[in-house]
Amino acid sequence: MNQNIIQLLYIVSIFLFALSLKWMSEVHTSRRGNWSAIAGIIIAILATLSAFQINRLDLLIVAIVVGSMIGAPIGLKVPMTAVPQRTAVSHAFGSLAVGLVGVSEFFQKGISADPVTTAVLCGEMILGFLTFTGSIVAFAKLQEIIPGKPVVYRGRNIITISTLITSIVFAISLVLYPGLEIAFYLMIVLALIFGLLLVLGIGGADMPTVIAILNSYAGISAAALGFILDNRLLIVAGALDGSSGLILAMIMSQAMNRSFVNVLFGGVGARMAVVEQSQQDRVTQTYSSADAATVLLSAKNVIIVPGYGMAVAQAQHVVKELSDILLKRGCDVKFAIHPVAGRMPGHMNVLLAEANVAYDLLWEMDKVNPLFNETDVAVVIGANDVTNPAARTKPDSPLFGMPILNVDKAKTVVFIKRSFGPGFAGVDNELFYLPNTMMVLGDAKNVLSDIIAKLRNTGR
Ligand code: NAP
């Protein structure tokens, strides 16, 4: 195909990627954003295939068929709750591909490469390979194949950072002495070890943020590879990926009142067993769905607080049904959305949009928090950490400092979950023991269905 047409197709797909990011930032345009990204990637693949002379079409077809056979079931069957680990796997393979293309380029260019090209190639390979092992560990932690607790030991940060620095030192020696093959292998091995050590030292609760950071690394390494291959599409797509991953990680860290450095090197979560034990003797009271229905019947205003448990129970449709009943009764209903409720940014927005909850009922944390004081009932549905007052009151809690939804300020809290177990951060919730909290234990969907049945039976 004519080079001008190929460049034009690259520009079209860059435009579609940028539009897709813009559209995906709003719930009501997010579907359009998805289609735009799909169109962009199809055009990018076709243009790239046409840009080169293909010597082994058979191998290409096998790669496409095998890739699709693995990718399609993952896309169709993986539940919403497992999206973070699915994303980690995508990053792992994407960054491995970037790293391996870097290796192939390195050997093709050999010692004839100029120092700038070698430097960019080395940076790209270090980022690609550390993202690969980091993403594999993130996947294993989220999928609970290995324990989520951070692996903490004396001198951990020094050992971890030393591996990266040594890898960079080998990269510099390669730039200075391009024929030094041993430096090339050691650089890669140390980058792989660094990714492993870095993510092993981070607790499971921080994995979604880590994935956003790794996403950013994968994007930057792809952009660097774009420079080497002189491919503008790869440069722009990598830069978009790198910057959006970074922005996302910043938003998530801010929502947890943490810094990047703290997420990456803080080892948060190692203390949680101690915190849990000290809470064991506390008094709690459980209530029935009928009790919860009675409280809701007399409420004038209700704030619904969804969390990860709503996603697990797939309770979004019954939640919508409950809000419809309450609204019909003249009750003021709002949904309080915490930025890190669930397991990925926007998790609650996506589920509530799927159930057709009106956007204007969704209130962001900062706007809704002052309203809890004058709220009759806060209904917490499978949310836990994002409501835990220990974030405000207990300096020794891993959650301390994280902005939370001030549910405890409501006159009554109906707390729906299956047990008194902790949330993702692994710490007990103060809210279970407050006198204004009614614990209604059970699967969120079942409990809500019961409450709805009771509300309907009253005929009011
Ligand atoms: P959470 O603290 O993980 O708590 C979820 C609760 O849901 C659990 O305590 C669980 O209790 C309950 N649950 C699970 N299945 C249920 C079911 N079928 N029915 C009823 N309840 C059920 O969730 P969260 O309050 O949404 O907080 C999110 C956590 O993830 C925070 O720690 C946040 O920092 C972390 N995080 C999120 C993101 C993000 O992007 N969203 C990013 C980084 C970190 P039972 O087992 O007793 O039922």
Side-chain angles (χ1 to χ4, degrees), residues 319-347:
V319 171
K320 153 89 166 122
E321 210 179 326
L322 175 70
S323 72
D324 283 348
I325 293 172
L326 294 173
L327 284 166
K328 226 176 189 173
R329 289 187 48 251
C331 182
D332 180 74
V333 179
K334 292 182 176 64
F335 286 80
I337 308 296
H338 191 286
V340 291
R343 290 293 179 267
M344 57 187 175
H347 202 166

PDB file of all heavy atoms in Angstrom, residues 319-347:
ATOM      1  N   VAL A 319     -30.765  -3.199  43.423  1.00  0.00           N
ATOM      2  CA  VAL A 319     -30.498  -1.897  44.053  1.00  0.00           C
ATOM      3  C   VAL A 319     -31.333  -0.830  43.344  1.00  0.00           C
ATOM      4  O   VAL A 319     -31.968   0.019  43.976  1.00  0.00           O
ATOM      5  CB  VAL A 319     -28.994  -1.538  43.968  1.00  0.00           C
ATOM      6  CG1 VAL A 319     -28.748  -0.112  44.419  1.00  0.00           C
ATOM      7  CG2 VAL A 319     -28.164  -2.485  44.803  1.00  0.00           C
ATOM      8  N   LYS A 320     -31.373  -0.913  42.034  1.00  0.00           N
ATOM      9  CA  LYS A 320     -32.149   0.053  41.237  1.00  0.00           C
ATOM     10  C   LYS A 320     -33.646  -0.086  41.589  1.00  0.00           C
ATOM     11  O   LYS A 320     -34.351   0.912  41.757  1.00  0.00           O
ATOM     12  CB  LYS A 320     -31.880  -0.232  39.750  1.00  0.00           C
ATOM     13  CG  LYS A 320     -32.972   0.158  38.789  1.00  0.00           C
ATOM     14  CD  LYS A 320     -32.803   1.582  38.305  1.00  0.00           C
ATOM     15  CE  LYS A 320     -33.673   1.839  37.108  1.00  0.00           C
ATOM     16  NZ  LYS A 320     -34.624   2.878  37.187  1.00  0.00           N
ATOM     17  N   GLU A 321     -34.082  -1.357  41.743  1.00  0.00           N
ATOM     18  CA  GLU A 321     -35.490  -1.600  42.079  1.00  0.00           C
ATOM     19  C   GLU A 321     -35.817  -0.960  43.431  1.00  0.00           C
ATOM     20  O   GLU A 321     -36.852  -0.308  43.584  1.00  0.00           O
ATOM     21  CB  GLU A 321     -35.697  -3.116  42.142  1.00  0.00           C
ATOM     22  CG  GLU A 321     -37.099  -3.560  41.759  1.00  0.00           C
ATOM     23  CD  GLU A 321     -37.205  -5.094  41.820  1.00  0.00           C
ATOM     24  OE1 GLU A 321     -36.201  -5.782  41.505  1.00  0.00           O
ATOM     25  OE2 GLU A 321     -38.286  -5.564  42.203  1.00  0.00           O
ATOM     26  N   LEU A 322     -34.897  -1.145  44.399  1.00  0.00           N
ATOM     27  CA  LEU A 322     -35.115  -0.559  45.722  1.00  0.00           C
ATOM     28  C   LEU A 322     -35.200   0.961  45.615  1.00  0.00           C
ATOM     29  O   LEU A 322     -36.109   1.593  46.185  1.00  0.00           O
ATOM     30  CB  LEU A 322     -33.962  -0.948  46.666  1.00  0.00           C
ATOM     31  CG  LEU A 322     -34.018  -0.289  48.039  1.00  0.00           C
ATOM     32  CD1 LEU A 322     -35.172  -0.847  48.863  1.00  0.00           C
ATOM     33  CD2 LEU A 322     -32.707  -0.481  48.808  1.00  0.00           C
ATOM     34  N   SER A 323     -34.287   1.557  44.844  1.00  0.00           N
ATOM     35  CA  SER A 323     -34.295   3.022  44.752  1.00  0.00           C
ATOM     36  C   SER A 323     -35.587   3.497  44.075  1.00  0.00           C
ATOM     37  O   SER A 323     -36.159   4.512  44.472  1.00  0.00           O
ATOM     38  CB  SER A 323     -33.056   3.532  44.016  1.00  0.00           C
ATOM     39  OG  SER A 323     -33.126   3.254  42.650  1.00  0.00           O
ATOM     40  N   ASP A 324     -36.075   2.746  43.088  1.00  0.00           N
ATOM     41  CA  ASP A 324     -37.329   3.130  42.414  1.00  0.00           C
ATOM     42  C   ASP A 324     -38.499   3.128  43.400  1.00  0.00           C
ATOM     43  O   ASP A 324     -39.328   4.050  43.412  1.00  0.00           O
ATOM     44  CB  ASP A 324     -37.638   2.155  41.269  1.00  0.00           C
ATOM     45  CG  ASP A 324     -36.761   2.434  40.051  1.00  0.00           C
ATOM     46  OD1 ASP A 324     -36.104   3.498  40.035  1.00  0.00           O
ATOM     47  OD2 ASP A 324     -36.719   1.591  39.135  1.00  0.00           O
ATOM     48  N   ILE A 325     -38.538   2.076  44.241  1.00  0.00           N
ATOM     49  CA  ILE A 325     -39.641   1.979  45.218  1.00  0.00           C
ATOM     50  C   ILE A 325     -39.590   3.156  46.185  1.00  0.00           C
ATOM     51  O   ILE A 325     -40.600   3.810  46.460  1.00  0.00           O
ATOM     52  CB  ILE A 325     -39.559   0.644  45.992  1.00  0.00           C
ATOM     53  CG1 ILE A 325     -39.825  -0.524  45.049  1.00  0.00           C
ATOM     54  CG2 ILE A 325     -40.541   0.621  47.154  1.00  0.00           C
ATOM     55  CD1 ILE A 325     -39.585  -1.884  45.670  1.00  0.00           C
ATOM     56  N   LEU A 326     -38.377   3.446  46.667  1.00  0.00           N
ATOM     57  CA  LEU A 326     -38.231   4.540  47.632  1.00  0.00           C
ATOM     58  C   LEU A 326     -38.591   5.882  46.996  1.00  0.00           C
ATOM     59  O   LEU A 326     -39.293   6.714  47.598  1.00  0.00           O
ATOM     60  CB  LEU A 326     -36.798   4.578  48.186  1.00  0.00           C
ATOM     61  CG  LEU A 326     -36.379   3.374  49.037  1.00  0.00           C
ATOM     62  CD1 LEU A 326     -34.897   3.432  49.379  1.00  0.00           C
ATOM     63  CD2 LEU A 326     -37.198   3.322  50.332  1.00  0.00           C
ATOM     64  N   LEU A 327     -38.124   6.082  45.752  1.00  0.00           N
ATOM     65  CA  LEU A 327     -38.427   7.341  45.056  1.00  0.00           C
ATOM     66  C   LEU A 327     -39.939   7.493  44.872  1.00  0.00           C
ATOM     67  O   LEU A 327     -40.506   8.572  45.055  1.00  0.00           O
ATOM     68  CB  LEU A 327     -37.735   7.373  43.684  1.00  0.00           C
ATOM     69  CG  LEU A 327     -36.229   7.655  43.693  1.00  0.00           C
ATOM     70  CD1 LEU A 327     -35.605   7.320  42.345  1.00  0.00           C
ATOM     71  CD2 LEU A 327     -35.952   9.106  44.067  1.00  0.00           C
ATOM     72  N   LYS A 328     -40.588   6.377  44.541  1.00  0.00           N
ATOM     73  CA  LYS A 328     -42.034   6.401  44.320  1.00  0.00           C
ATOM     74  C   LYS A 328     -42.787   6.793  45.588  1.00  0.00           C
ATOM     75  O   LYS A 328     -43.830   7.432  45.542  1.00  0.00           O
ATOM     76  CB  LYS A 328     -42.479   5.002  43.881  1.00  0.00           C
ATOM     77  CG  LYS A 328     -43.415   4.998  42.693  1.00  0.00           C
ATOM     78  CD  LYS A 328     -43.695   3.604  42.323  1.00  0.00           C
ATOM     79  CE  LYS A 328     -44.440   3.532  41.025  1.00  0.00           C
ATOM     80  NZ  LYS A 328     -44.563   2.156  40.600  1.00  0.00           N
ATOM     81  N   ARG A 329     -42.180   6.410  46.720  1.00  0.00           N
ATOM     82  CA  ARG A 329     -42.812   6.749  48.000  1.00  0.00           C
ATOM     83  C   ARG A 329     -42.522   8.195  48.405  1.00  0.00           C
ATOM     84  O   ARG A 329     -42.890   8.639  49.476  1.00  0.00           O
ATOM     85  CB  ARG A 329     -42.282   5.825  49.103  1.00  0.00           C
ATOM     86  CG  ARG A 329     -42.768   4.397  48.987  1.00  0.00           C
ATOM     87  CD  ARG A 329     -42.337   3.587  50.204  1.00  0.00           C
ATOM     88  NE  ARG A 329     -42.646   4.291  51.451  1.00  0.00           N
ATOM     89  CZ  ARG A 329     -41.744   4.831  52.258  1.00  0.00           C
ATOM     90  NH1 ARG A 329     -40.474   4.763  51.952  1.00  0.00           N
ATOM     91  NH2 ARG A 329     -42.119   5.432  53.358  1.00  0.00           N
ATOM     92  N   GLY A 330     -41.801   8.920  47.560  1.00  0.00           N
ATOM     93  CA  GLY A 330     -41.506  10.327  47.849  1.00  0.00           C
ATOM     94  C   GLY A 330     -40.232  10.512  48.644  1.00  0.00           C
ATOM     95  O   GLY A 330     -39.938  11.618  49.129  1.00  0.00           O
ATOM     96  N   CYS A 331     -39.488   9.433  48.807  1.00  0.00           N
ATOM     97  CA  CYS A 331     -38.241   9.514  49.564  1.00  0.00           C
ATOM     98  C   CYS A 331     -37.147  10.115  48.676  1.00  0.00           C
ATOM     99  O   CYS A 331     -37.110   9.872  47.476  1.00  0.00           O
ATOM    100  CB  CYS A 331     -37.884   8.089  49.981  1.00  0.00           C
ATOM    101  SG  CYS A 331     -36.423   7.958  50.949  1.00  0.00           S
ATOM    102  N   ASP A 332     -36.272  10.908  49.271  1.00  0.00           N
ATOM    103  CA  ASP A 332     -35.138  11.446  48.505  1.00  0.00           C
ATOM    104  C   ASP A 332     -34.030  10.379  48.495  1.00  0.00           C
ATOM    105  O   ASP A 332     -33.591   9.943  49.558  1.00  0.00           O
ATOM    106  CB  ASP A 332     -34.655  12.738  49.190  1.00  0.00           C
ATOM    107  CG  ASP A 332     -33.483  13.339  48.453  1.00  0.00           C
ATOM    108  OD1 ASP A 332     -33.701  13.906  47.378  1.00  0.00           O
ATOM    109  OD2 ASP A 332     -32.343  13.200  48.943  1.00  0.00           O
ATOM    110  N   VAL A 333     -33.612   9.976  47.287  1.00  0.00           N
ATOM    111  CA  VAL A 333     -32.602   8.911  47.206  1.00  0.00           C
ATOM    112  C   VAL A 333     -31.370   9.415  46.462  1.00  0.00           C
ATOM    113  O   VAL A 333     -31.479  10.047  45.411  1.00  0.00           O
ATOM    114  CB  VAL A 333     -33.162   7.669  46.458  1.00  0.00           C
ATOM    115  CG1 VAL A 333     -32.094   6.572  46.362  1.00  0.00           C
ATOM    116  CG2 VAL A 333     -34.398   7.137  47.162  1.00  0.00           C
ATOM    117  N   LYS A 334     -30.219   9.114  47.055  1.00  0.00           N
ATOM    118  CA  LYS A 334     -28.951   9.440  46.383  1.00  0.00           C
ATOM    119  C   LYS A 334     -28.048   8.215  46.444  1.00  0.00           C
ATOM    120  O   LYS A 334     -28.164   7.394  47.362  1.00  0.00           O
ATOM    121  CB  LYS A 334     -28.249  10.596  47.091  1.00  0.00           C
ATOM    122  CG  LYS A 334     -28.959  11.919  46.984  1.00  0.00           C
ATOM    123  CD  LYS A 334     -28.159  13.009  47.686  1.00  0.00           C
ATOM    124  CE  LYS A 334     -28.795  14.362  47.525  1.00  0.00           C
ATOM    125  NZ  LYS A 334     -30.130  14.480  48.165  1.00  0.00           N
ATOM    126  N   PHE A 335     -27.142   8.116  45.481  1.00  0.00           N
ATOM    127  CA  PHE A 335     -26.120   7.073  45.525  1.00  0.00           C
ATOM    128  C   PHE A 335     -24.785   7.762  45.809  1.00  0.00           C
ATOM    129  O   PHE A 335     -24.430   8.726  45.120  1.00  0.00           O
ATOM    130  CB  PHE A 335     -26.021   6.353  44.178  1.00  0.00           C
ATOM    131  CG  PHE A 335     -27.171   5.412  43.918  1.00  0.00           C
ATOM    132  CD1 PHE A 335     -28.396   5.899  43.473  1.00  0.00           C
ATOM    133  CD2 PHE A 335     -27.029   4.049  44.124  1.00  0.00           C
ATOM    134  CE1 PHE A 335     -29.454   5.050  43.242  1.00  0.00           C
ATOM    135  CE2 PHE A 335     -28.079   3.185  43.888  1.00  0.00           C
ATOM    136  CZ  PHE A 335     -29.305   3.680  43.449  1.00  0.00           C
ATOM    137  N   ALA A 336     -24.075   7.284  46.818  1.00  0.00           N
ATOM    138  CA  ALA A 336     -22.768   7.882  47.145  1.00  0.00           C
ATOM    139  C   ALA A 336     -21.680   7.039  46.493  1.00  0.00           C
ATOM    140  O   ALA A 336     -21.578   5.843  46.757  1.00  0.00           O
ATOM    141  CB  ALA A 336     -22.579   7.915  48.658  1.00  0.00           C
ATOM    142  N   ILE A 337     -20.889   7.672  45.631  1.00  0.00           N
ATOM    143  CA  ILE A 337     -19.873   6.919  44.888  1.00  0.00           C
ATOM    144  C   ILE A 337     -18.480   7.294  45.374  1.00  0.00           C
ATOM    145  O   ILE A 337     -18.035   8.433  45.204  1.00  0.00           O
ATOM    146  CB  ILE A 337     -19.979   7.204  43.364  1.00  0.00           C
ATOM    147  CG1 ILE A 337     -21.422   6.987  42.878  1.00  0.00           C
ATOM    148  CG2 ILE A 337     -18.998   6.335  42.583  1.00  0.00           C
ATOM    149  CD1 ILE A 337     -21.941   5.572  42.995  1.00  0.00           C
ATOM    150  N   HIS A 338     -17.812   6.318  45.977  1.00  0.00           N
ATOM    151  CA  HIS A 338     -16.414   6.529  46.386  1.00  0.00           C
ATOM    152  C   HIS A 338     -15.521   6.218  45.188  1.00  0.00           C
ATOM    153  O   HIS A 338     -15.741   5.225  44.495  1.00  0.00           O
ATOM    154  CB  HIS A 338     -16.075   5.610  47.562  1.00  0.00           C
ATOM    155  CG  HIS A 338     -14.774   5.935  48.217  1.00  0.00           C
ATOM    156  ND1 HIS A 338     -13.559   5.636  47.637  1.00  0.00           N
ATOM    157  CD2 HIS A 338     -14.485   6.563  49.394  1.00  0.00           C
ATOM    158  CE1 HIS A 338     -12.587   6.055  48.439  1.00  0.00           C
ATOM    159  NE2 HIS A 338     -13.123   6.618  49.507  1.00  0.00           N
ATOM    160  N   PRO A 339     -14.484   7.047  44.953  1.00  0.00           N
ATOM    161  CA  PRO A 339     -13.666   6.826  43.746  1.00  0.00           C
ATOM    162  C   PRO A 339     -12.964   5.466  43.676  1.00  0.00           C
ATOM    163  O   PRO A 339     -12.680   4.996  42.580  1.00  0.00           O
ATOM    164  CB  PRO A 339     -12.626   7.958  43.781  1.00  0.00           C
ATOM    165  CG  PRO A 339     -12.807   8.665  45.067  1.00  0.00           C
ATOM    166  CD  PRO A 339     -14.105   8.266  45.676  1.00  0.00           C
ATOM    167  N   VAL A 340     -12.685   4.838  44.855  1.00  0.00           N
ATOM    168  CA  VAL A 340     -12.054   3.509  44.752  1.00  0.00           C
ATOM    169  C   VAL A 340     -12.957   2.392  45.305  1.00  0.00           C
ATOM    170  O   VAL A 340     -12.462   1.336  45.692  1.00  0.00           O
ATOM    171  CB  VAL A 340     -10.639   3.451  45.389  1.00  0.00           C
ATOM    172  CG1 VAL A 340      -9.646   4.256  44.601  1.00  0.00           C
ATOM    173  CG2 VAL A 340     -10.649   3.840  46.854  1.00  0.00           C
ATOM    174  N   ALA A 341     -14.266   2.639  45.316  1.00  0.00           N
ATOM    175  CA  ALA A 341     -15.177   1.542  45.689  1.00  0.00           C
ATOM    176  C   ALA A 341     -15.086   0.476  44.609  1.00  0.00           C
ATOM    177  O   ALA A 341     -14.948   0.786  43.431  1.00  0.00           O
ATOM    178  CB  ALA A 341     -16.603   2.058  45.806  1.00  0.00           C
ATOM    179  N   GLY A 342     -15.151  -0.789  45.033  1.00  0.00           N
ATOM    180  CA  GLY A 342     -15.026  -1.884  44.054  1.00  0.00           C
ATOM    181  C   GLY A 342     -13.580  -2.220  43.809  1.00  0.00           C
ATOM    182  O   GLY A 342     -12.729  -2.014  44.658  1.00  0.00           O
ATOM    183  N   ARG A 343     -13.297  -2.701  42.638  1.00  0.00           N
ATOM    184  CA  ARG A 343     -11.931  -3.149  42.363  1.00  0.00           C
ATOM    185  C   ARG A 343     -11.297  -2.439  41.182  1.00  0.00           C
ATOM    186  O   ARG A 343     -10.218  -2.824  40.735  1.00  0.00           O
ATOM    187  CB  ARG A 343     -11.905  -4.668  42.097  1.00  0.00           C
ATOM    188  CG  ARG A 343     -12.186  -5.507  43.310  1.00  0.00           C
ATOM    189  CD  ARG A 343     -11.073  -5.393  44.348  1.00  0.00           C
ATOM    190  NE  ARG A 343     -11.398  -6.205  45.517  1.00  0.00           N
ATOM    191  CZ  ARG A 343     -12.025  -5.742  46.592  1.00  0.00           C
ATOM    192  NH1 ARG A 343     -12.394  -4.476  46.668  1.00  0.00           N
ATOM    193  NH2 ARG A 343     -12.276  -6.541  47.605  1.00  0.00           N
ATOM    194  N   MET A 344     -11.961  -1.455  40.634  1.00  0.00           N
ATOM    195  CA  MET A 344     -11.324  -0.671  39.574  1.00  0.00           C
ATOM    196  C   MET A 344     -12.015   0.688  39.527  1.00  0.00           C
ATOM    197  O   MET A 344     -13.158   0.816  39.967  1.00  0.00           O
ATOM    198  CB  MET A 344     -11.439  -1.381  38.228  1.00  0.00           C
ATOM    199  CG  MET A 344     -12.857  -1.683  37.845  1.00  0.00           C
ATOM    200  SD  MET A 344     -12.908  -2.679  36.377  1.00  0.00           S
ATOM    201  CE  MET A 344     -14.664  -2.988  36.283  1.00  0.00           C
ATOM    202  N   PRO A 345     -11.338   1.692  39.027  1.00  0.00           N
ATOM    203  CA  PRO A 345     -11.950   3.017  38.981  1.00  0.00           C
ATOM    204  C   PRO A 345     -13.230   2.978  38.143  1.00  0.00           C
ATOM    205  O   PRO A 345     -13.260   2.332  37.098  1.00  0.00           O
ATOM    206  CB  PRO A 345     -10.879   3.874  38.293  1.00  0.00           C
ATOM    207  CG  PRO A 345      -9.624   3.109  38.414  1.00  0.00           C
ATOM    208  CD  PRO A 345      -9.982   1.667  38.459  1.00  0.00           C
ATOM    209  N   GLY A 346     -14.251   3.640  38.652  1.00  0.00           N
ATOM    210  CA  GLY A 346     -15.519   3.696  37.908  1.00  0.00           C
ATOM    211  C   GLY A 346     -16.329   2.415  37.987  1.00  0.00           C
ATOM    212  O   GLY A 346     -17.353   2.271  37.318  1.00  0.00           O
ATOM    213  N   HIS A 347     -15.898   1.467  38.850  1.00  0.00           N
ATOM    214  CA  HIS A 347     -16.573   0.161  38.942  1.00  0.00           C
ATOM    215  C   HIS A 347     -18.067   0.331  39.252  1.00  0.00           C
ATOM    216  O   HIS A 347     -18.926  -0.263  38.606  1.00  0.00           O
ATOM    217  CB  HIS A 347     -15.899  -0.646  40.051  1.00  0.00           C
ATOM    218  CG  HIS A 347     -16.091  -2.120  39.941  1.00  0.00           C
ATOM    219  ND1 HIS A 347     -15.363  -3.021  40.659  1.00  0.00           N
ATOM    220  CD2 HIS A 347     -16.957  -2.872  39.202  1.00  0.00           C
ATOM    221  CE1 HIS A 347     -15.748  -4.246  40.365  1.00  0.00           C
ATOM    222  NE2 HIS A 347     -16.717  -4.172  39.483  1.00  0.00           N
TER     223      HIS A 347
END
